[in-house]
Amino acid sequence: MGRQGSPGLRLLTLSVFILVALAGCRGAARDDADPGKRFTSTDEARVRTLGLYSSGAKVGTYRYSRGSGLWDGRHKVFDLDESIELRLSFRGDVFTIRTRQRSYVGEGLLLLGSVSEVDFGPGSWTTTWVRTGEGRYEKTERMGKSIAEKEVKVPPGFLTTDVLFPYMEQMQKEGRKEFKADMFNLTLGQTLPVKVVYGGEKGGIRRFSVTFWGMEEEVSMDGEGMVVGETMPWGVSAAPLSDSDRIGSLSMESLFTRTGVPAANVPGDLAARGTAVFYLNGSVSMPPSTAWQSVSREDGRLTARLTRPVVPAKGSRSVDPRMSRDDFPGLDLDSKRIRELAAKITSGMNDPWEKARAVGAWVFGNLGNTMRESFSALEVLDAGEGECQSHSILAVSLIRAAGVPARFACGVVYMPDRGLFLFHTWVEVYTGQWVPIDPTLGAFPAGVDHLTLVEGGYTDQFRVFPYIMGQGGWSVTFVAGQK
């Protein structure tokens, strides 16, 4: 996940589950959209390198630097640069993700520009933001040969999350003990509730408690505003490096458990059932109602009623091009390779459901199920593997190339082996009405074990972020259902 914002580590582990929102139209990026070309350093940056630790082992490194200079040769700015290298493991496979966020913060804690880079190995992307006017930023995405530009608007009076570290330093200098407000996150395109409590100074180290969406972490900073330690959720901490570090990796299986949604009374055969009724306890917002999912608030709690999705009868199936839009350059819809593969998979088929199902089955049967992320359909094809997001990107691309509208859906799916609902991405196809399919788990259509939280374009998936953050925790209780 792009880590737009500080503290620099708090969105790190979530990068595995949610990717940076990519939206807009293809086009040529302008030179003035590169913040690095508009910045001139005026001093030598201070640098701090910490180790990332989990279960007593070093699982990566965190580098934070802070300098100053001029923007466009006249505006004084802070140059804040964060880099993370993290080793992850999944089913015995160990791989590395690398992220970097460089932000240029002017007087009044005004963000003038930033660059975010993420590299998962098989796929990588770069996102830049440059301030173009009052509350307006131009966002440029680069993914392989694809480039997309879009204007992002920050609500009046909101600070961006990039400036939280210098804000914490200013807060301490002004003698304020607490800060509580919404800040705007450019990557997510939404506000993020933040609470900061200054815990005092000891031995020259200032301690802060930072809470966002109900999740709390501790940050330690020295007198120069440099991060010297951080304790994060999910058992991860940042601390000074040691020559005797034991090298390890952050287990994805443990993260799944820690971020999974607790489930009660759920039958093991839920996926095969025709109906299901759930209480959503402590849910942060109202999930959508669809043709197969009805959500209502009853007696102060949310109740979700799910029915196995019904595919329209063959004679009534139809497509409507207006039902999907090219909102994501990573779909690579102008690729000859994508068009030819879609035509090959659906050869001889005219029925939209048969096409969508054939593509979903092909993706399920031909992609390995790993945690290595790719960010475009062509990258997924080259990698030949990936997690649910990769499966869904390729499926949406091929289904649309076959002439059938398709969009992303995101929510939780029940995993009997864990006894939890885990966060997951799948696909919805339009064949007269929307029908969910799961090219990762091989469900056509997906069953009542899939609880939809958001649906729509690629960007819309980021509305699931508050659910993952927990906001104090939520759970699902199975009430009734029929086989």
Side-chain angles (χ1 to χ4, degrees):
M1 163 108 252
R3 297 177 307 98
Q4 179 76 19
S6 298
L9 303 181
R10 69 169 184 264
L11 301 182
L12 172 62
T13 49
L14 295 179
S15 65
V16 180
F17 306 105
I18 305 182
L19 305 179
V20 163
L22 302 175
C25 301
R26 289 182 179 82
R30 304 191 313 270
D31 286 343
D32 63 358
D34 182 356
K37 293 183 178 181
R38 303 178 65 171
F39 172 73
T40 303
S41 176
T42 58
D43 70 350
E44 184 174 349
R46 301 186 298 276
V47 179
R48 178 85 63 179
T49 301
L50 304 174
L52 298 178
Y53 297 91
S54 177
S55 301
K58 178 186 170 188
V59 298
T61 56
Y62 169 58
R63 180 184 181 277
Y64 180 67
S65 74
R66 176 171 174 161
S68 60
L70 297 176
W71 181 266
D72 286 341
R74 58 185 187 275
H75 302 295
K76 294 181 179 180
V77 295
F78 293 116
D79 172 22
L80 309 177
D81 194 348
E82 300 173 84
S83 299
I84 291 175
E85 183 172 293
L86 179 68
R87 286 183 299 276
L88 300 170
S89 61
F90 180 68
R91 298 176 179 172
D93 180 24
V94 179
F95 57 100
T96 301
I97 64 171
R98 296 174 179 85
T99 70
R100 184 183 183 187
Q101 177 79 33
R102 190 167 188 175
S103 302
Y104 303 95
V105 181
E107 295 179 357
L109 298 180
L110 179 66
L111 179 69
L112 297 177
S114 69
V115 182
S116 174
E117 301 171 282
V118 181
D119 184 353
F120 262 81
S124 61
W125 84 90
T126 301
T127 308
T128 64
W129 290 263
V130 173
R131 187 174 183 270
T132 58
E134 186 67 32
R136 299 194 308 274
Y137 292 83
E138 182 158 284
K139 172 183 178 182
T140 303
E141 307 280 358
R142 293 175 175 85
M143 293 176 37
K145 296 181 180 180
S146 297
I147 297 176
E149 294 182 348
K150 180 184 180 181
E151 184 179 77
V152 178
K153 295 183 179 180
V154 177
F158 280 79
L159 294 173
T160 64
T161 51
D162 296 71
V163 307
L164 185 55
F165 271 173
Y167 192 92
M168 289 162 60
E169 183 181 15
Q170 177 178 305
M171 174 179 138
Q172 180 269 327
K173 289 180 178 179
E174 294 175 352
R176 287 181 290 130
K177 299 294 185 180
E178 183 174 312
F179 162 76
K180 185 176 182 181
D182 285 346
M183 302 184 79
F184 192 84
N185 186 284
L186 287 168
T187 295
L188 301 177
Q190 60 181 266
T191 57
L192 182 152
V194 177
K195 179 181 178 181
V196 180
V197 177
Y198 175 51
E201 179 181 344
K202 184 176 181 181
I205 303 300
R206 301 175 174 90
R207 304 188 184 279
F208 299 85
S209 171
V210 183
T211 305
F212 48 100
W213 275 321
M215 189 168 63
E216 183 176 342
E217 62 181 42
E218 302 295 326
V219 179
S220 299
M221 302 174 70
D222 64 15
E224 295 184 319
M226 301 294 290
V227 179
V228 298
E230 191 166 353
T231 301
M232 296 160 278
W234 309 307
V236 180
S237 61
L241 291 164
S242 169
D243 294 335
S244 59
D245 284 337
R246 176 169 62 87
I247 304 301
S249 58
L250 185 63
S251 167
M252 292 304 305
E253 287 87 350
S254 66
L255 283 179
F256 287 155
T257 299
R258 290 172 181 174
T259 60
V261 180
N265 306 327
V266 180
D269 64 348
L270 178 63
R273 295 201 169 213
T275 65
V277 180
F278 303 104
Y279 290 147
L280 309 184
N281 312 299
S283 180
V284 294
S285 62
M286 177 81 76
S289 288
T290 68
W292 59 89
Q293 174 175 296
S294 173
V295 182
S296 59
R297 189 172 296 277
E298 303 172 9
D299 299 326
R301 62 185 172 190
L302 293 179
T303 299
R305 292 178 170 83
L306 277 67
T307 302
R308 176 173 289 278
V310 176
V311 179
K314 192 165 187 177
S316 63
R317 295 172 191 167
S318 62
V319 297
D320 183 344
R322 296 172 298 177
M323 290 298 180
S324 62
R325 64 186 190 276
D326 181 8
D327 61 338
F328 173 47
L331 293 178
D332 293 321
L333 293 177
D334 56 357
S335 164
K336 180 180 177 181
R337 185 180 175 192
I338 290 294
R339 295 195 303 269
E340 289 180 345
L341 179 56
K344 180 180 179 180
I345 295 171
T346 62
S347 177
M349 299 178 187
N350 294 314
D351 181 81
W353 170 249
E354 291 179 0
K355 287 183 178 182
R357 192 184 190 287
V359 169
W362 188 93
V363 172
F364 173 69
N366 286 273
L367 285 190
N369 193 357
T370 72
M371 289 307 301
R372 294 179 184 269
E373 182 57 81
S374 299
F375 307 116
S376 77
L378 290 175
E379 286 180 343
V380 175
L381 281 177
D382 289 338
E385 62 182 14
E387 41 65 271
C388 60
Q389 195 82 19
S390 295
H391 283 69
S392 297
I393 289 170
L394 183 56
V396 169
S397 176
L398 292 172
I399 291 170
R400 290 189 185 181
V404 180
R407 66 187 183 187
F408 296 90
C410 193
V412 291
V413 60
Y414 183 68
M415 304 300 289
D417 59 333
R418 297 180 183 270
L420 296 169
F421 279 88
L422 299 184
F423 287 94
H424 187 53
T425 298
W426 57 94
V427 175
E428 294 178 357
V429 298
Y430 186 84
T431 61
Q433 69 180 36
W434 290 107
V435 178
I437 65 173
D438 191 333
T440 307
L441 301 179
F444 313 103
V448 298
D449 56 336
H450 289 63
L451 178 62
T452 305
L453 299 178
V454 298
E455 55 189 357
Y458 199 84
T459 304
D460 294 313
Q461 294 181 78
F462 290 88
R463 289 187 284 114
V464 81
F465 203 78
Y467 290 95
I468 295 180
M469 303 301 278
Q471 196 175 8
W474 65 291
S475 63
V476 177
T477 299
F478 178 83
V479 180
Q482 296 180 346
K483 296 186 178 180

